[in-house]
Amino acid sequence: MSYAQYRPGWEPEGTMGQGGPEKATVLRTPIGEVSEVEVGRLITRMAESGVREARAAGLLLERIRSGNVTPQTLLREDGRWQPDAPRHAAYAVAVLTLAIQVCDERAEQFLPYCRQVMERPGVEITVE
């Protein structure tokens, strides 16, 4: 049993729109600080979208947000994709799509390439 909650200064984890009072926390990103609550709302909106691609991306982001097993890295040190490149590219597409929604203009440069890798023949990316 963890006694962390009884220690001074302990705060429950997770402020990304998963319930409870909103906290004024930010995520440090390459484009600067972004509201953690707003990112959480964007992920939820994507996961609940009626558009298949947006929903799939949102569900992958939900996996990251909830701490489920996800790739630790998408690329090898030599710059090539990890094995199962289409699956890893799907995570890249999800993260880049979210980055675009928080106004990261550089993310748009990489999105088309990641989509090409993700859409290789014979690959179906599904998240349930």
Side-chain angles (χ1 to χ4, degrees), residues 69-112:
V69 177
T70 58
Q72 290 183 356
T73 179
L74 303 177
L75 302 175
R76 298 177 187 175
E77 285 187 24
D78 63 6
R80 294 185 303 159
W81 288 95
Q82 291 286 357
D84 193 8
R87 177 176 173 269
H88 287 79
Y91 276 97
V93 166
V95 171
L96 290 170
T97 300
L98 178 62
I100 290 168
Q101 291 185 26
V102 296
C103 301
D104 184 345
E105 295 172 6
R106 290 187 55 210
E108 293 185 54
Q109 297 172 352
F110 304 103
L111 192 57

Side-chain angles (χ1 to χ4, degrees), residues 1-36:
M1 177 173 151
S2 172
Y3 291 95
Q5 63 189 358
Y6 303 108
R7 292 189 182 118
W10 178 84
E11 290 187 28
E13 292 183 35
T15 58
M16 293 185 66
Q18 296 172 319
E22 292 182 5
K23 297 180 182 179
T25 57
V26 294
L27 300 171
R28 288 189 178 95
T29 72
I31 61 166
E33 293 181 342
V34 178
S35 165
E36 190 174 359

Side-chain angles (χ1 to χ4, degrees), residues 27-46:
L27 300 171
R28 288 189 178 95
T29 72
I31 61 166
E33 293 181 342
V34 178
S35 165
E36 190 174 359
V37 171
E38 182 58 27
V39 169
R41 287 184 182 135
L42 290 169
I43 292 171
T44 299
R45 209 173 304 140
M46 289 171 68

Side-chain angles (χ1 to χ4, degrees), residues 61-72:
L61 293 170
E62 285 283 2
R63 290 179 58 84
I64 295 169
R65 178 165 73 165
S66 65
N68 287 333
V69 177
T70 58
Q72 290 183 356

